[in-house]
Amino acid sequence: MAKRNAFYAQSGGVTAVINATAAGVIEAAREHGDRIGKVYAGRDGIIGALTEDLIDTSQESDEAIAALKHTPGGAFGSCRYKLKSLEENRAEYERLIEVFKAHNIGYFFYNGGGDSADTCLKVSQLSETMGYPIQAIHVPKTVDNDLPITDTCPGFGSVAKYIAVSTLEASLDVMSMARTSTKVFVLEVMGRHAGWIAAAGGLAGKTDEEPPHVILFPEIAFDREKFLAKVDQAVKDYGYCTVVVSEGTRDAEGNFLADAGSVDAFGHKQLGGVGPVIADMVKSALGHKYHWAVADYLQRSARHLASETDLQQAVAVGRAAVEMALAGKNSVMPAIKRLSDAPYSWEIDEAPLAEVANVEKKMPREFISEDGFGITDAGRAYLAPLIQGEAYPPYNSEGLPEYVQLRNVAVDKKLDTFKLR
Amino acid sequence: MAKRNAFYAQSGGVTAVINATAAGVIEAAREHGDRIGKVYAGRDGIIGALTEDLIDTSQESDEAIAALKHTPGGAFGSCRYKLKSLEENRAEYERLIEVFKAHNIGYFFYNGGGDSADTCLKVSQLSETMGYPIQAIHVPKTVDNDLPITDTCPGFGSVAKYIAVSTLEASLDVMSMARTSTKVFVLEVMGRHAGWIAAAGGLAGKTDEEPPHVILFPEIAFDREKFLAKVDQAVKDYGYCTVVVSEGTRDAEGNFLADAGSVDAFGHKQLGGVGPVIADMVKSALGHKYHWAVADYLQRSARHLASETDLQQAVAVGRAAVEMALAGKNSVMPAIKRLSDAPYSWEIDEAPLAEVANVEKKMPREFISEDGFGITDAGRAYLAPLIQGEAYPPYNSEGLPEYVQLRNVAVDKKLDTFKLR
């Protein structure tokens, strides 16, 4: 079989370990130099393919590629650019295949969430009909942890660890000063549609007394009175209360709490997120001094506190994607299959893309405690293994992590310019 | 000389390493069991002394005390409770000395910032006139880094490291997605009165291109037009812009920017901090998509990312305080004296409390770049050594840091109840 090149692209929000997956793909491809030519990466994700802006990863040393395993962000650039349906914009799909053909690309590794799984599937299907078959392999990644079939999504375990540790640390701070200072601490976390990240905050403590005392999930309609009563009781019982709130928390009518707050002097919608809204609600109703934090990008880029489990899985799905391609697979995704909770063991399985694309895995109700403010033993059994192990980056003598910056050398273009919509 | 007991209390905002100082004090005292009896700790800081709520640290194992070195928060509790002047509330000072006398306490180790240095000095002075001389040693601690004489304050180096690393990590995230997503990222950091913590964000990059592109200091009056022009230029030149803003940033009239924002539906002052105010300003004026984070307590409790330099200094000032007490010193503070920048070397010096109390060390103008938006080489030379080295806590098999919880056994009371004001 003639050698063909590979194309790799990062899609959507980046994570602390998406580059580890890139390293897995590139290292595995280099080990099979007899069958895979070069690995080209899309500059800024799929946009790089559409605009024929390809990065020649063969210009990077083995050391630089290995260093991707400890470097957060997206080393080649990522993008939020969802291809429309085939009916709406067939030209984009055709362009992708044209670019792949021009650069002898036979393997398409798309590293992303649900949207990119869908794109991946369509590229594969269309390439068949266009007579230039591409083996399209989707490589899972998302801090949202919402892909089906796979036990978890690389990127999630590290965010989960960051949120669990931060919840614990900030709570020790608050607890020690609650007598005369802050009594209620609110930590806002990501997760617009699902409460996986908020749930991870629950790993910080095991008993009712241990923090967090309240978790607010997008899956549970926010009930102001029940929430305030819970906070009040925690302050009475333990002297303080830690609240972890998902940015996607909504009321019974489905309105985001983050939208319910203040307007500024010009009538603009309030600037804050749900964290300050919740904190202010506590202050108004109960009078407690509060503090709030919004971790935002800090949580998903915190490679300094990555989960070793997450890192291993991130590398493994990258390597497995290449192995699947070499085994002739198409329209599949390497999925993590859990073999046991404790000790956690897992292996890589194969998921058909048709069953992955556009399916959102919600958090099961049985992972959330009956009162809606915490996680259950089942939830803990699922989550706990994902934050196990510490995968620290190397640090330089100045006390900063040694994150790598690739050279990202462009491949010469062969086609006409393509205008992005 | 007869054995006398020691009293140790934590004051004000806690840090990632204040417990390491406690460990230094207690371990050094245990090594001198011939001269120092028990170390009593104040439950919730100085309130514990006023209310005769003393913790018997001799009930804690050597292992538990050693574990304080890797445990954030305040292990005995801290408080925000400033003793009034001698004239205004002499009764409180007299009560302290009464409690010390009742428990044969001859050494007073007060671990805090400027206010506690002042209290420490007064206790020493009054104890002389009351005929029960106490050796009062102030032990420096504050993330604000605003104590005079000492090169730095234990607690600051770890916050500085957290902010520098977080700025770097979040910027890698933003940079990789700026083409189609967030272009301006704003990180709000602590420092109501001085820009030391904001300045630490400047360690994330060295060139104009590297983040952060803008730092907003409390020391520099905020100029909206200059700020927006700087952000706009960074987005044009580098594709994105990272802003580190101190919570204490003010306009030319001295008003906090954090107070300048929105009011909610009930007319309450806005909920957010300065981070969202700044981010919204950028959006309104320049139209760029933004994200903002408020690290809040996460930054000062982040023991998972402590600076080894900071940790060593935190332990050293605790040990030195005991040694000074045993050498017969009074009304002094162990101060860190810098011997050289690179390689960083330091020793412990002795500072008279009279020169420490109520003096605030501001950031020198020469540490801030001419345009007011960055740090200079001099600032970098000062800051860089403070974040060197990584002092990780041990983790358990579940992936969480093994932070210690002390037993905190109360000492039997001997006096009547004292009513706190």
Side-chain angles (χ1 to χ4, degrees):
Chain A
M1 202 165 85
K3 263 211 261 196
R4 297 177 85 189
N5 297 318
F7 175 76
Y8 167 82
Q10 304 180 322
S11 175
V14 294
T15 79
V17 297
I18 187 173
N19 290 331
T21 297
V25 168
I26 295 168
E27 288 182 348
R30 287 185 180 187
E31 289 165 19
H32 294 280
D34 53 325
R35 297 184 54 198
I36 301 179
K38 293 189 171 185
V39 176
Y40 297 132
R43 194 183 307 275
D44 300 324
I46 201 70
I47 288 178
L50 290 168
T51 59
E52 203 193 355
D53 193 352
L54 307 181
I55 291 166
D56 183 358
T57 69
S58 74
Q59 306 279 328
E60 313 290 344
S61 68
D62 285 349
E63 292 69 31
I65 297 302
L68 288 178
K69 292 178 194 165
H70 61 247
T71 299
F76 308 108
S78 182
C79 64
R80 295 203 181 280
Y81 188 91
K82 185 169 159 60
L83 270 71
K84 296 193 177 173
S85 69
L86 268 175
E87 296 69 34
E88 282 178 289
N89 203 338
R90 189 180 179 92
E92 282 186 342
Y93 294 90
E94 288 176 349
R95 168 69 177 187
L96 285 181
I97 291 159
E98 187 188 13
V99 169
F100 290 169
K101 194 171 176 180
H103 294 273
N104 189 32
I105 290 166
Y107 308 104
F108 174 32
F109 300 110
Y110 203 19
N111 199 178
D115 284 352
S116 58
D118 179 62
T119 300
C120 208
L121 181 59
K122 284 179 183 143
V123 166
S124 165
Q125 291 166 341
L126 192 65
S127 73
E128 294 279 351
T129 68
M130 285 177 68
Y132 184 80
I134 306 268
Q135 283 173 255
I137 316 284
H138 184 252
V139 200
K141 169 250 45 164
T142 168
V143 297
D144 294 335
N145 202 39
D146 59 358
L147 289 173
I149 305 179
T150 187
D151 183 50
T152 182
C153 304
F156 171 68
S158 293
V159 176
K161 189 177 185 90
Y162 177 90
I163 294 300
V165 172
S166 296
T167 299
L168 174 59
E169 291 180 332
S171 297
L172 287 174
D173 185 312
V174 174
M175 183 172 62
S176 60
M177 301 193 61
R179 184 160 172 179
T180 57
S181 184
T182 299
K183 287 191 169 49
V184 178
F185 175 69
V186 178
L187 173 60
E188 175 181 327
V189 305
M190 287 180 158
R192 199 77 175 167
H193 303 293
W196 294 108
I197 298 177
L203 295 175
K206 287 184 176 169
T207 65
D208 286 350
E209 182 167 359
E210 290 172 347
H213 308 98
V214 181
I215 302 175
L216 299 176
F217 301 95
E219 288 85 354
I220 305 289
F222 180 74
D223 180 328
R224 187 175 179 278
E225 300 315 313
K226 270 180 69 185
F227 165 70
L228 289 170
K230 181 92 178 173
V231 170
D232 198 38
Q233 197 59 47
V235 172
K236 279 184 182 124
D237 291 347
Y238 318 123
Y240 76 108
C241 179
T242 296
V243 179
V244 176
V245 55
S246 165
E247 62 180 344
T249 303
R250 304 163 198 234
D251 62 20
E253 284 75 46
N255 304 306
F256 286 117
L257 259 62
D259 293 338
S262 48
V263 271
D264 69 11
F266 311 98
H268 296 139
K269 269 281 174 100
Q270 63 112 38
L271 315 169
V274 66
V277 169
I278 284 290
D280 192 64
M281 188 185 295
V282 168
K283 172 75 177 174
S284 303
L286 305 174
H288 298 310
K289 187 183 172 194
Y290 66 79
H291 260 243
W292 53 268
V294 177
D296 195 60
Y297 288 157
L298 270 49
Q299 67 199 287
R300 75 177 196 197
S301 62
R303 181 61 185 81
H304 73 267
L305 187 60
S307 151
E308 173 67 27
T309 302
D310 190 33
L311 176 65
Q312 286 180 10
Q313 293 178 334
V315 174
V317 295
R319 296 191 66 90
V322 172
E323 284 153 21
M324 287 177 186
L326 290 174
K329 308 282 183 175
N330 191 3
S331 301
V332 294
M333 175 184 91
I336 295 153
K337 181 177 177 182
R338 182 179 297 223
L339 302 175
S340 71
D341 283 340
Y344 184 51
S345 73
W346 53 276
E347 62 182 22
I348 297 290
D349 206 355
E350 185 185 308
L353 270 195
E355 293 175 25
V356 173
N358 300 313
V359 178
E360 207 176 50
K361 182 173 73 180
K362 294 272 183 189
M363 204 161 69
R365 182 60 181 85
E366 63 263 30
F367 283 6
I368 302 175
S369 60
E370 206 179 323
D371 73 358
F373 293 126
I375 59 171
T376 58
D377 289 345
R380 184 178 303 279
Y382 167 73
L383 290 164
L386 308 180
I387 71 166
Q388 283 170 5
E390 294 71 51
Y392 298 121
Y395 279 69
N396 63 27
S397 62
E398 294 180 319
L400 289 171
E402 287 202 311
Y403 294 143
V404 69
Q405 292 260 23
L406 300 183
R407 299 169 58 218
N408 285 349
V409 177
V411 177
D412 287 340
K413 297 191 181 193
K414 301 184 176 185
L415 300 172
D416 291 340
T417 304
F418 179 82
K419 206 171 144 49
L420 289 177
R421 60 175 153 82
Chain B
M1 202 165 85
K3 263 212 260 197
R4 298 176 85 190
N5 296 318
F7 176 76
Y8 166 83
Q10 304 180 322
S11 176
V14 295
T15 79
V17 298
I18 186 172
N19 289 331
T21 298
V25 167
I26 295 168
E27 288 181 348
R30 287 185 180 187
E31 290 165 18
H32 294 279
D34 53 325
R35 297 182 57 197
I36 301 179
K38 293 188 171 185
V39 177
Y40 296 132
R43 195 184 306 274
D44 300 324
I46 201 71
I47 288 178
L50 290 167
T51 59
E52 204 193 354
D53 194 353
L54 308 181
I55 292 165
D56 182 359
T57 69
S58 75
Q59 306 279 329
E60 312 291 344
S61 68
D62 286 348
E63 292 68 32
I65 298 301
L68 288 178
K69 292 178 193 163
H70 62 247
T71 300
F76 309 108
S78 182
C79 65
R80 295 203 180 281
Y81 188 89
K82 185 170 158 61
L83 271 70
K84 296 194 177 172
S85 70
L86 268 174
E87 296 69 36
E88 284 178 287
N89 202 339
R90 188 181 181 93
E92 282 186 343
Y93 294 90
E94 288 176 350
R95 168 69 177 189
L96 285 181
I97 291 159
E98 187 189 12
V99 170
F100 291 169
K101 195 170 174 181
H103 293 275
N104 188 32
I105 290 165
Y107 309 104
F108 174 32
F109 300 110
Y110 203 19
N111 199 178
D115 285 351
S116 57
D118 179 61
T119 301
C120 208
L121 181 59
K122 284 179 183 143
V123 166
S124 165
Q125 291 166 342
L126 191 65
S127 73
E128 293 279 352
T129 68
M130 286 176 67
Y132 184 79
I134 306 268
Q135 283 174 253
I137 315 284
H138 185 251
V139 200
K141 168 251 45 164
T142 169
V143 296
D144 294 333
N145 203 39
D146 59 358
L147 290 174
I149 304 179
T150 188
D151 183 50
T152 182
C153 303
F156 172 68
S158 293
V159 177
K161 189 177 185 90
Y162 177 91
I163 294 301
V165 172
S166 297
T167 299
L168 174 60
E169 290 179 333
S171 297
L172 286 173
D173 185 312
V174 174
M175 183 172 63
S176 59
M177 300 192 62
R179 183 159 174 180
T180 57
S181 184
T182 298
K183 287 191 170 48
V184 178
F185 176 68
V186 178
L187 173 60
E188 175 182 327
V189 304
M190 287 181 158
R192 198 77 173 167
H193 304 293
W196 293 108
I197 298 178
L203 295 174
K206 287 186 177 168
T207 64
D208 286 351
E209 182 167 358
E210 290 172 346
H213 308 98
V214 181
I215 303 175
L216 298 176
F217 301 96
E219 288 86 352
I220 305 290
F222 180 75
D223 180 327
R224 187 175 179 279
E225 300 314 313
K226 269 181 69 185
F227 165 71
L228 289 170
K230 181 92 178 172
V231 170
D232 198 39
Q233 196 60 47
V235 172
K236 280 186 181 125
D237 291 347
Y238 318 123
Y240 77 107
C241 179
T242 296
V243 178
V244 175
V245 56
S246 166
E247 61 180 344
T249 303
R250 304 162 198 235
D251 62 20
E253 284 76 46
N255 304 308
F256 286 117
L257 259 60
D259 293 339
S262 49
V263 271
D264 70 10
F266 311 99
H268 297 138
K269 270 283 173 98
Q270 62 112 38
L271 316 167
V274 65
V277 169
I278 283 290
D280 192 63
M281 188 185 295
V282 168
K283 173 74 178 174
S284 303
L286 305 174
H288 297 311
K289 187 184 173 195
Y290 65 79
H291 260 243
W292 52 268
V294 177
D296 195 58
Y297 288 156
L298 270 49
Q299 68 200 286
R300 76 177 193 195
S301 62
R303 182 61 186 82
H304 73 267
L305 187 60
S307 151
E308 173 67 27
T309 302
D310 190 32
L311 175 66
Q312 287 180 9
Q313 293 179 334
V315 174
V317 294
R319 297 191 66 89
V322 172
E323 284 152 21
M324 287 177 187
L326 289 174
K329 309 282 183 175
N330 191 3
S331 300
V332 294
M333 176 185 90
I336 295 152
K337 182 177 175 183
R338 183 180 297 223
L339 302 175
S340 70
D341 283 340
Y344 184 50
S345 73
W346 53 276
E347 62 183 21
I348 297 290
D349 206 355
E350 186 185 307
L353 269 194
E355 294 176 23
V356 173
N358 300 314
V359 179
E360 208 176 51
K361 182 173 73 180
K362 295 273 183 186
M363 204 162 70
R365 183 60 181 86
E366 64 264 29
F367 283 7
I368 302 175
S369 60
E370 205 179 322
D371 73 357
F373 294 126
I375 59 172
T376 59
D377 289 345
R380 184 178 302 279
Y382 166 74
L383 290 164
L386 307 180
I387 70 165
Q388 283 170 4
E390 294 72 49
Y392 297 121
Y395 279 70
N396 62 26
S397 62
E398 294 181 318
L400 289 170
E402 286 202 313
Y403 294 143
V404 70
Q405 291 259 23
L406 300 183
R407 297 170 59 220
N408 284 348
V409 177
V411 177
D412 287 341
K413 297 192 181 193
K414 301 183 176 183
L415 301 172
D416 292 339
T417 304
F418 179 83
K419 206 171 141 48
L420 289 177
R421 60 174 153 82

